[in-house]
Amino acid sequence: MKLALGPILYYWEREATFSFYDEIAAAPVDIVYLGETVCSRRHTLRTEDWFEVADKLAAAGKEVVLSTQALIESESDLKTLRRLTGNGKFMVEANDMGAVHQLSAAKVPFVAGPHINTYNPQTLELLNELGAKRWVMPVEMSREALSHMQATRPAGMETEVFAYGRLPLAFSARCFTARHYNLPKDDCQFRCMDYPNGLTLNTREGQPFLALNGIQTMSASIYNLIGELDSMRATGVDVVRVSPQAFHTPKILKLFRDALDGRTTAQAAAQQMTKLMFDQACDGYWHGKPGIEQSYLAPAENE
Amino acid sequence: MSPKASLELVCPAGNLPALKIAVDNGADCVYMGFKDNTNARAFAGLNFDPASAREGVRYAHAKGAKVLLALNTFPQSDKWERWQGAVDNAVELGIDAIILADPGLMRYAARTYPNLRLHLSVQGSATNYEAINFYHEHFGVQRAVIPRVLSLAQVEQVVKNTPVEIELFGFGGLCVMVEGRCALSSYATGESPNTCGVCSPAKAVRWQQTPEGLESRLNGVLLDRYGKDENAGYPTLCKGRFEVNNETYYAIEEPTSLNTLEMLPEMIAMGIAAIKIEGRQRSPAYVEQVTKVWRAAIDSAKRAPQSYNVNPAWMAQLNKVAEGQQNTLGAYNRPWK
């Protein structure tokens, strides 16, 4: 199985983003997804900057994929989308049907991202006909549902699973980070930059529940399928995706890499990972349960 | 007839009595679902079995109204036949159009029944004309329902760049998230609109009186706690009160109801094809009240758009049935923007 790094879902400082990708160039990861997928107001990196990062990572031997924004509302959103879908060099991850429309019309191969609702073999077959070479399973899909997809998967189609990170659960036109500061979205003062891993939302009895990330709502818990690599392999998963967090991402990639290559056991990797995670783990979706639940017990939790 | 002249009123029919009341009070179209998870209001005691569906279609057609069928969840990988069968049943029943979200199901419907009218559901998450035109080019989709997240100016941009008719939500419970792109419910309960046709399902809800107040929980997660003088609403996940940076508030959405009566002339002028009323889970009394008011308002706005005014009596009637007892123009006019 190959290892992928998803797009940064948060809003980081420009220099922090560049140095992050300098580290990633040297990290043991095969595929890197790049670009702003959440909010069009975020601009520390412009499209040209993303192209530049893409060139650097490609030169370092990474397969680079440019990810499109999930919620496309305005004409300027569409303009950015067209620059990405027409870049002529890198593969594009489509995160809405507008992107699929453009890529399929141009007959360019693409990745059907996690925000394309691919829930059944018929839709996967359609995406295949339209030019998709890889699809990323919706985060709420279970292993069992995936195994039905895999049974009739079109030849040559790769399957990718979101396997580590706070889960991107919902999109809105509203910005909940701005709402927290009583700011209008158009004058949000980019407060989301103060929360490089999202702003945790607790229940009234203090249970971390969700995380606000601008217009995106995420899980507070960190989805972690490090303990499920064998079952992913058995289900025919081709690519395992790690979603960036503000610190320790190269170490997390290395633990996945080592577990994938058999240099360490999943248990040992899971144990080491607990020290790198800023919130508790969850893995319910993979087991067909509420996403918030956790089945796999990392040994460190018993210490 | 131009779409401007033909703005349709599309009303919810959760059951046969609601359907009849909607038709009797001036709905141009009613929309309904079958009694299973092929639609996004898969609630116990709601929706149509084959006999009531047949009677509903007969009743509506006899009175000149159209019947739309919501098949707007995503067929789950191992249960495709249920959704495909629902499309077949819709055709057999003489449904006027089916409302779909899943691209694979759309392809099946377009290939198998080339004359069947297809609408893109709000659950299809099409928020731009490139997405809408995709469904038009590939499956001949004739109408799209836009998620409740665009401003009116953005809606106009869509209308200008697509041959597809545009239907907007006019009234009812407000989804703050982009429909079709929200897995919050399955994160807490295992069931979501996309996978199961439900949000914050009743079977996962627990109410408990505690010394701190009345608590609502969704699969154990505390969604809210109400003081003695507070009205407790249905515990929809995004409408709970939560703590962020030690501040407790409606962190995502306050319980409000969408009401766009005052925007009707603008909507008509920009060529909106239909206004949709939310609420298949609501009572026939709700459907009656809302249909009456919107019929009167649409007729008034069509007759004399320049002098159109929102009748205070309409607002009073709508406020009585609105969720959370307060109205908002939603994203169409963005006070929070």
Side-chain angles (χ1 to χ4, degrees):
Chain A
M1 287 191 287
K2 286 183 279 190
L3 186 60
L5 181 70
I8 298 172
L9 302 180
Y10 310 103
Y11 191 38
W12 295 350
E13 305 274 359
R14 181 178 167 88
E15 288 315 313
T17 307
F18 284 130
S19 54
F20 175 79
Y21 284 115
D22 284 343
E23 282 188 88
I24 293 307
V29 60
D30 306 298
I31 306 164
V32 182
Y33 291 82
L34 293 177
E36 176 55 52
T37 59
V38 176
C39 179
S40 55
R41 287 182 49 76
R42 296 175 175 178
H43 61 270
T44 51
L45 268 72
R46 304 281 182 186
T47 308
E48 291 75 30
D49 296 319
W50 286 116
F51 287 153
E52 203 178 293
V53 174
D55 282 332
K56 275 190 193 167
L57 288 167
K62 308 301 182 194
E63 179 193 328
V64 174
V65 183
L66 302 175
S67 296
T68 70
Q69 205 172 293
L71 175 57
I72 291 178
E73 301 173 289
S74 67
E75 200 57 46
S76 85
D77 292 347
L78 283 170
K79 211 164 133 189
T80 307
L81 177 66
R82 287 185 191 109
R83 287 204 60 194
L84 295 177
T85 57
N87 82 86
K89 195 168 176 185
F90 299 106
M91 182 104 106
V92 173
E93 176 186 69
N95 278 315
D96 114 299
M97 291 310 274
V100 171
H101 190 195
Q102 290 180 3
L103 292 159
S104 59
K107 303 202 183 315
V108 184
F110 64 94
V111 178
H115 305 300
I116 299 290
N117 283 330
T118 314
Y119 283 101
N120 52 66
Q122 286 74 6
T123 295
L124 188 57
E125 187 186 297
L126 169 69
L127 289 167
N128 179 59
E129 287 167 17
L130 293 168
K133 295 291 165 218
R134 183 186 300 151
W135 71 292
V136 187
M137 181 182 100
V139 294
E140 62 179 346
M141 187 175 272
S142 67
R143 184 183 67 84
E144 195 191 343
L146 177 63
S147 67
H148 291 286
M149 302 289 288
Q150 298 293 74
T152 56
R153 161 167 64 149
M157 175 69 75
E158 288 187 328
T159 299
E160 179 167 335
V161 171
F162 185 105
Y164 181 90
R166 281 185 154 172
L167 292 159
L169 294 173
F171 290 93
S172 173
R174 294 197 177 194
C175 175
F176 305 115
T177 308
R179 177 179 172 85
H180 177 67
Y181 289 101
N182 288 313
L183 292 168
K185 186 180 171 193
D186 284 355
D187 181 27
C188 64
Q189 298 172 23
F190 302 103
R191 289 298 179 93
C192 57
M193 202 176 258
D194 297 338
Y195 301 97
N197 287 314
L199 170 56
T200 301
L201 175 155
N202 298 294
T203 67
R204 296 180 74 175
E205 56 192 358
Q207 178 192 6
F209 181 35
L210 301 173
L212 307 177
N213 175 35
I215 66 160
Q216 183 177 69
T217 305
M218 316 176 89
S219 61
S221 294
I222 296 167
Y223 197 56
N224 189 352
L225 299 186
I226 185 76
E228 308 298 337
L229 293 176
D230 286 343
S231 79
M232 277 193 255
R233 197 177 274 118
T235 318
V237 171
D238 303 281
V239 182
V240 174
R241 173 179 292 201
V242 169
S243 186
Q245 62 183 38
F247 37 83
H248 303 320
T249 300
K251 289 181 191 164
I252 289 160
L253 287 170
K254 183 162 189 317
L255 288 171
F256 267 94
R257 177 88 272 160
D258 287 350
L260 282 170
D261 295 349
R263 276 190 296 274
T264 183
T265 62
Q267 288 90 336
Q271 184 166 12
Q272 291 189 52
M273 212 173 275
T274 53
K275 297 170 201 143
L276 307 175
M277 293 166 64
F278 56 90
D279 214 320
Q280 57 197 335
C282 66
D283 63 8
Y285 278 140
W286 183 251
H287 300 283
K289 295 175 179 169
I292 195 169
E293 291 182 10
Q294 170 71 1
S295 300
Y296 181 81
L297 287 181
E301 292 181 9
N302 301 327
E303 281 177 2
Chain B
M1 224 196 304
S2 78
K4 285 182 191 183
S6 65
L7 178 85
E8 289 183 332
L9 176 60
V10 182
C11 292
N15 54 34
L16 194 53
L19 180 148
K20 290 182 175 175
I21 275 179
V23 168
D24 292 346
N25 285 281
D28 298 302
C29 311
V30 290
Y31 65 104
M32 64 182 209
F34 287 144
K35 252 185 190 321
D36 57 23
N37 61 357
T38 58
N39 74 94
R41 290 282 187 275
F43 301 165
L46 211 63
N47 294 319
F48 289 71
D49 61 21
S52 57
R54 196 171 301 283
E55 170 57 13
V57 171
R58 187 203 64 77
Y59 189 89
H61 284 176
K63 299 208 167 188
K66 286 180 263 188
V67 180
L68 317 178
L69 181 79
L71 293 174
N72 57 351
T73 48
F74 292 84
Q76 297 301 294
S77 59
D78 58 331
K79 300 190 177 62
W80 171 265
E81 286 70 26
R82 182 183 300 159
W83 277 262
Q84 182 174 311
V87 173
D88 300 338
N89 291 342
V91 171
E92 195 269 325
L93 280 165
I95 294 284
D96 297 280
I98 56 174
I99 309 168
L100 302 175
D102 184 69
L105 193 62
M106 219 171 274
R107 184 172 67 155
Y108 169 77
R111 281 183 178 173
T112 316
Y113 306 105
N115 297 321
L116 177 60
R117 188 177 157 94
L118 304 181
H119 291 188
L120 177 63
S121 168
V122 69
Q123 298 296 131
S125 321
T127 52
N128 60 78
Y129 59 82
E130 287 281 358
I132 293 168
N133 290 343
F134 169 86
Y135 293 102
H136 180 70
E137 284 171 28
H138 287 271
F139 314 116
V141 160
Q142 287 173 272
R143 181 181 293 180
V145 189
I146 307 287
R148 285 165 271 194
V149 297
L150 298 188
S151 68
L152 214 51
Q154 288 172 337
V155 171
E156 186 163 27
Q157 191 64 24
V158 171
V159 173
K160 282 181 180 160
N161 287 284
T162 181
V164 176
E165 298 171 4
I166 299 301
E167 179 171 315
L168 295 181
F169 275 92
F171 185 82
L174 189 68
C175 250
V176 68
M177 301 302 178
V178 184
E179 289 90 342
R181 288 202 162 152
C182 182
L184 293 179
S185 179
S186 66
Y187 181 64
T189 73
E191 299 191 348
S192 74
N194 282 0
T195 59
C196 298
V198 294
C199 172
S200 312
K203 66 180 180 196
V205 171
R206 292 288 176 274
W207 292 97
Q208 200 175 5
Q209 195 68 56
T210 73
E212 286 92 0
L214 179 64
E215 291 181 349
S216 58
R217 288 178 187 271
L218 191 66
N219 195 26
V221 176
L222 182 64
L223 290 192
D224 211 342
R225 185 182 282 152
Y226 300 92
K228 263 191 225 129
D229 305 325
E230 291 182 311
N231 282 330
Y234 185 85
T236 304
L237 196 154
C238 59
K239 293 176 181 177
R241 275 179 290 195
F242 301 102
E243 285 173 11
V244 181
N245 281 338
N246 298 316
E247 190 189 330
T248 300
Y249 65 113
Y250 293 106
I252 301 173
E253 171 70 0
E254 290 172 50
T256 51
S257 181
L258 178 74
N259 185 357
T260 63
L261 266 189
E262 66 180 74
M263 291 175 167
L264 260 180
E266 280 174 272
M267 289 174 169
I268 291 173
M270 71 172 63
I272 299 303
I275 296 285
K276 180 166 222 151
I277 308 297
E278 186 270 348
R280 283 193 284 130
Q281 74 285 10
R282 304 290 302 267
S283 68
Y286 163 91
V287 173
E288 177 176 21
Q289 193 71 265
V290 178
T291 305
K292 260 186 199 163
V293 169
W294 277 83
R295 179 77 272 157
I298 290 173
D299 289 348
S300 162
K302 277 188 189 174
R303 211 167 33 236
Q306 304 304 326
S307 60
Y308 172 86
N309 266 317
V310 175
N311 183 334
W314 296 341
M315 288 308 255
Q317 281 160 343
L318 292 181
N319 285 342
K320 270 192 273 179
V321 296
E323 185 186 357
Q325 308 293 319
Q326 59 171 307
N327 290 303
T328 167
L329 291 166
Y332 299 130
N333 164 15
R334 302 177 153 187
W336 38 268
K337 194 186 170 183

